[in-house]
């Protein structure tokens, strides 16, 4: 612990002793000044020393009553100067009180009192010493008073500047912590959304294939066995994706590219094959010139197709579905349609989160999603996703 810290802690608990400490050197200097004469050292003029000590008494409360203390000490010092014109000492108690007023009080009050005190001290000194107001010794005292006020304002300004800098640093630290918490929350939401997509998709397929196997177990064991094989494949894929997604939380030191389970549009055929195995025929059409996409766009496109097909297979009475990927110059347009006879509840306006999740994913990368029933029957999901992402603002 440094000396400055020790002093601040001690002075905070002993305010009156701290305020009175400057009186000790003032009284000692006054005694020495009155003991110096033309012929050398002599007996101090104790009456003047006592008067100086009396002017220092109000300094005990200078921090609590800076204006009153400044006026009182100035009155005592001016009285001493008037009745003891040969006193050579500068009114030190008044200088200390004016410094405190400038440090603790308002700027306007400090300068009004400071200038008035400087004029009064200079005038009394000039009158008692038969000198001009512009005499060197009188102007020296004027300068002392102005300097005390200026020093007090400078100390206060520096303290306020340090406090402001400290506050800015603390505010910046709080902002960084809030930003970190926000990013953690967003990452948790993203992981939760991935988990929802993975689990909902694969459990839907497993449920459909289990129903097929149960229905065909006695009448067509070979097809039932094939459905059970699909259940095994889908459950293994679900476990693999879940392990990879949870790995985001368990492996914080790995590079993001090696940890993130980012399905791409190249994996779309595997996704569609699983849907077909569950009993829903799906066709995939690609138009336009395929081009490299941002990783976030690939993941979002995959998840939107996955969610749309899962909803069509699970909630709509659909016998077929179609996926169209249209690569434009600036955006990828994804259209997923089915011939279901009812609106899937998971993508409706209430009760589910499928469409909400699609829209949130698309909006997060600067795209959008629209969905609704088709006039000829069935349901359509249309997503517009940017081919490349704009850089994040600094």
């Amino acid at each position: 612990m440094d000396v400055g810290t020790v002093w601040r802690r001690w002075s905070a608990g002993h305010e009156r002793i701290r305020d009175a400490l400057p009186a000790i050197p003032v009284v000692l200097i006054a005694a020495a000044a009155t003991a110096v004469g033309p012929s050398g050292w002599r007996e101090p003029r104790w009456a003047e020393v006592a008067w100086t000590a009396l002017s220092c008494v109000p300094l005990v409360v200078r921090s609590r009553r800076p204006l009153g203390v400044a006026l009182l000490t100035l009155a005592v010092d001016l009285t001493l100067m008037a009745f003891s014109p040969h006193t050579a000492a500068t009114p030190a108690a008044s200088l200390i009180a004016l410094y405190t007023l400038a440090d603790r009080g308002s700027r306007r009050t400090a300068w009004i009192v400071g200038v008035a005190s400087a004029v009064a001290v200079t005038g009394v000194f000039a009158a008692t010493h038969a000198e001009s107001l512009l005499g060197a010794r009188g102007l020296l005292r004027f300068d002392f008073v102005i300097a005390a006020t200026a020093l007090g304002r400078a100390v206060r300004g520096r303290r306020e500047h340090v406090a402001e800098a400290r506050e800015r640093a603390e505010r910046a630290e709080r902002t960084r912590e809030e930003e970190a918490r926000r990013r953690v929350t967003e990452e948790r939401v993203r992981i939760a959304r991935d988990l929802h997509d993975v689990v909902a998709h694969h459990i839907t397929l497993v449920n459909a294939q289990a129903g097929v196997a149960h229905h065909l177990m006695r009448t067509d064991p070979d097809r039932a066995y094939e459905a059970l094989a699909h259940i095994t494949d889908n459950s293994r894929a679900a476990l693999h994706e879940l392990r990879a997604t949870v790995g985001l939380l368990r492996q914080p030191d790995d590079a993001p590219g090696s940890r993130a389970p980012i399905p791409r549009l190249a994996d779309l055929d595997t996704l569609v094959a699983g849907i077909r195995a569950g009993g829903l025929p799906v066709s995939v059409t690609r138009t336009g010139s395929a081009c490299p996409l941002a990783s976030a766009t690939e993941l979002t496109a995959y998840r939107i197709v996955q969610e749309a097909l899962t909803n069509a297979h699970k909630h709509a009475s659909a016998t077929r579905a179609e996926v169209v990927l249209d690569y434009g110059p600036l955006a990828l347009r994804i259209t997923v349609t089915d011939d279901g006879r009812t609106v899937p509840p998971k993508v409706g306006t209430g009760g589910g989160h499928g469409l909400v999740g699609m829209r949130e994913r698309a909006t997060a990368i600067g795209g959008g999603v629209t969905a609704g029933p088709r006039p000829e029957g069935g349901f359509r999901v249309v997503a517009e996703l940017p081919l490349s992402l704009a850089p994040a603002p600094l």
Side-chain angles (χ1 to χ4, degrees):
M1 187 179 298
D2 58 6
V3 177
T5 303
V6 174
W7 164 252
R8 284 192 296 271
R9 290 185 177 181
W10 182 88
S11 62
H14 303 81
E15 181 180 298
R16 293 193 176 183
I17 297 177
R18 178 200 63 199
D19 287 349
L21 283 178
I24 298 175
V26 169
V27 174
L28 294 178
I29 292 173
T34 59
V36 177
S39 58
W41 290 94
R42 63 186 180 187
E43 181 73 14
R45 294 191 294 271
W46 294 112
E48 296 177 8
V49 174
W51 197 266
T52 301
L54 179 64
S55 70
C56 291
V57 172
L59 296 179
V60 176
V61 292
R62 62 189 175 93
S63 293
R64 296 187 179 183
R65 301 286 188 272
L67 178 59
V69 170
L71 297 176
L72 183 58
T73 55
L74 181 64
V76 175
D77 282 334
L78 291 177
T79 303
L80 176 61
M81 292 174 63
F83 286 96
S84 183
H86 298 292
T87 301
T90 304
S94 296
L95 298 183
I96 296 172
L98 290 172
Y99 164 84
T100 305
L101 176 61
D103 182 44
R104 302 280 180 167
S106 66
R107 175 184 299 177
R108 181 180 179 183
T109 301
W111 280 113
I112 291 176
V113 175
V115 172
S117 300
V119 172
V121 170
T122 304
V124 171
F125 182 84
T128 55
H129 289 75
E131 291 188 6
S132 169
L133 285 174
L134 301 180
R137 292 195 298 171
L139 290 179
L140 181 62
R141 282 159 176 75
F142 182 91
D143 293 341
F144 279 159
V145 176
I146 295 298
T149 303
L151 179 61
R153 292 305 308 174
V155 170
R156 175 168 180 167
R158 183 182 181 278
R159 185 172 63 248
E160 291 176 348
H161 177 73
V162 172
E164 183 180 353
R166 184 181 296 112
E167 183 181 356
R168 284 199 304 268
E170 292 175 354
R171 186 164 56 248
E173 183 66 24
R174 289 194 300 269
T175 302
R176 284 194 295 268
E177 292 176 356
E178 292 171 359
E179 177 66 14
R181 286 194 293 269
R182 185 186 66 81
R183 290 181 180 274
V184 169
T185 300
E186 290 179 353
E187 183 67 8
R188 288 175 177 173
V189 171
R190 188 190 70 80
I191 293 174
R193 190 178 295 132
D194 281 343
L195 287 173
H196 167 269
D197 292 345
V198 170
V199 172
H201 170 69
H202 289 287
I203 293 301
T204 297
L205 295 181
V206 168
N207 179 69
Q209 292 159 354
V212 172
H214 181 269
H215 179 71
L216 298 176
M217 183 62 68
R218 296 186 180 183
T219 59
D220 194 343
D222 291 338
R223 291 186 59 190
Y225 179 82
E226 182 180 350
L228 291 175
H230 286 305
I231 290 176
T232 301
D233 293 339
N234 279 290
S235 60
R236 184 184 298 112
L239 289 174
H240 175 74
E241 290 198 43
L242 286 173
R243 188 179 299 113
T245 303
V246 175
L248 286 170
L249 305 177
R250 295 180 177 175
Q251 303 172 16
D253 296 329
D254 290 348
S258 64
R259 293 186 290 114
I262 303 180
R264 299 183 178 275
L265 289 179
D267 304 318
L268 192 58
D269 292 338
T270 303
L271 171 68
V272 170
I275 296 290
R276 289 170 180 162
L280 176 64
V282 180
S283 64
V284 179
T285 304
R286 293 176 173 86
T287 61
S289 300
C291 60
L293 303 177
S295 298
T297 300
E298 292 241 19
L299 174 61
T300 302
Y302 181 91
R303 292 305 188 197
I304 288 176
V305 173
Q306 182 185 53
E307 182 70 23
L309 291 178
T310 300
N311 287 331
H313 186 51
K314 182 178 181 181
H315 299 289
S317 301
T319 59
R320 62 183 177 83
E322 181 180 4
V323 178
V324 178
L325 305 178
D326 182 16
Y327 292 85
L330 298 177
L332 170 64
R333 181 183 178 90
I334 302 171
T335 305
V336 181
T337 57
D338 63 67
D339 62 350
R341 294 185 298 275
T342 60
V343 177
K346 279 289 182 179
V347 296
T349 56
H353 305 285
L355 183 55
V356 173
M358 294 184 205
R359 285 173 174 164
E360 287 180 352
R361 285 183 178 276
T363 302
I365 64 171
V369 171
T370 59
R374 297 190 301 164
E376 64 272 25
F379 203 79
R380 176 189 291 113
V381 176
V382 180
E384 294 275 354
L385 306 178
L387 298 181
S388 60
L389 305 184
L394 298 177

